[in-house]
Amino acid sequence: DGGITQSPKYLFRKEGQNVTLSCEQNLNHDAMYWYRQDPGQGLRLIYYSQIVNDFQKGDIAEGYSVSREKKESFPLTVTSAQKNPTAFYLCASTPPIPGNEQFFGPGTRLTVL
Amino acid sequence: AQKVTQAQTEISVVEKEDVTLDCVYETRDTTYYLFWYKQPPSGELVFLIRRNSFDEQNEISGRYSWNFQKSTSSFNFTITASQVVDSAVYFCALSDVMTTDSWGKLQFGAGTQVVVTP
């Protein structure tokens, strides 16, 4: 079945450590996105990528980094520079069709202790 | 700048009641797209409906219906005869036209928690 995989579902890290969240899709979509969700709030865009080896900052990119070496993969690294990294992280993808909906993964809940 | 406002934080209803979720948006674009997503307790967002700015026809799809009014920049969503499985957070989102700078980026509202009790 086609879809988006995010691993792990729950992730715990100590303060000051970098951590990488995985996002893989087999939908053959060109565009991929990372969102952050805090309790009681909507989703905010961290980074997005339209094609391989290209990505753009979203609204809250500070303290995060990404790579897009393969079409299927768009990992997100939460660095120690991110002041408040505890949140729910969602990855999404979409084909290059105007107005097409984004397809979301199951999310990773990151807790920094 | 784009903005989406969902003024209702939480709505509680008894099963079989109708639920209407409000969404007001702001954009300078003449072509744009509006979406409703559902987020059940599992966390994954599920796409529900989409409407483009040129199509103000309101439709019904099963128990879901929507009311898009460009004059008031509103895109309201109704669940008819609610069920316990409808309990979730519902998000309204706005997307502009795909360009090299803003390819399909979504601007989300804060979400409305719907609680349906038996």
Side-chain angles (χ1 to χ4, degrees):
Chain A
D1 289 335
I4 301 176
T5 304
Q6 289 186 247
S7 60
K9 179 73 172 175
Y10 299 95
L11 190 56
F12 297 89
R13 279 295 181 268
K14 291 182 179 179
E15 194 171 346
Q17 288 183 334
N18 291 355
V19 59
T20 297
L21 281 59
S22 167
C23 177
E24 304 279 333
Q25 55 100 357
N26 60 4
L27 300 167
N28 200 33
H29 287 169
D30 290 286
M32 297 187 73
Y33 309 81
W34 273 106
Y35 293 92
R36 169 182 172 140
Q37 185 180 21
D38 293 286
Q41 297 188 33
L43 281 68
R44 292 182 292 167
L45 183 64
I46 305 173
Y47 266 99
Y48 65 104
S49 169
Q50 299 178 7
I51 56 173
V52 174
N53 293 323
D54 183 64
F55 46 82
Q56 306 293 328
K57 292 182 179 179
D59 300 322
I60 55 165
E62 185 175 351
Y64 300 97
S65 66
V66 293
S67 63
R68 186 86 186 275
E69 298 177 359
K70 298 186 299 182
K71 187 176 184 178
E72 304 80 17
S73 178
F74 191 40
L76 173 74
T77 296
V78 184
T79 74
S80 56
Q82 168 51 232
K83 297 283 188 265
N84 185 18
T86 295
F88 187 51
Y89 291 87
L90 285 155
C91 179
S93 70
T94 191
I97 302 172
N100 206 81
E101 70 270 21
Q102 291 185 12
F103 296 79
F104 284 82
T108 293
R109 191 167 298 280
L110 172 66
T111 302
V112 176
L113 306 171
Chain B
Q2 296 184 327
K3 185 179 179 181
V4 177
T5 302
Q6 294 180 253
Q8 303 152 309
T9 304
E10 181 171 327
I11 299 175
S12 294
V13 297
V14 177
E15 208 168 17
K16 296 184 182 176
E17 289 184 342
D18 296 348
V19 180
T20 295
L21 308 178
D22 298 334
C23 174
V24 175
Y25 63 91
E26 296 176 26
T27 181
R28 294 178 182 172
D29 297 323
T30 55
T31 302
Y32 51 89
Y33 302 88
L34 294 160
F35 302 82
W36 277 98
Y37 282 88
K38 174 183 178 180
Q39 186 178 40
S42 61
E44 184 171 346
L45 262 72
V46 177
F47 164 74
L48 297 176
I49 57 174
R50 166 184 54 240
R51 179 60 66 200
N52 72 56
S53 55
F54 292 106
D55 185 0
E56 289 194 68
Q57 182 178 355
N58 296 310
E59 293 187 16
I60 298 174
S61 176
R63 294 188 299 110
Y64 298 153
S65 62
W66 50 96
N67 185 351
F68 174 37
Q69 301 226 346
K70 215 167 174 178
S71 60
T72 56
S73 296
S74 65
F75 185 50
N76 298 337
F77 175 67
T78 297
I79 304 171
T80 303
S82 61
Q83 301 174 3
V84 173
V85 293
D86 295 326
S87 295
V89 180
Y90 290 81
F91 290 99
C92 181
L94 169 68
S95 172
D96 53 16
V97 178
M98 284 185 176
T99 68
T100 54
D101 295 325
S102 60
W103 199 13
K105 291 190 300 181
L106 288 174
Q107 182 70 42
F108 284 87
T112 298
Q113 173 78 57
V114 173
V115 179
V116 183
T117 54

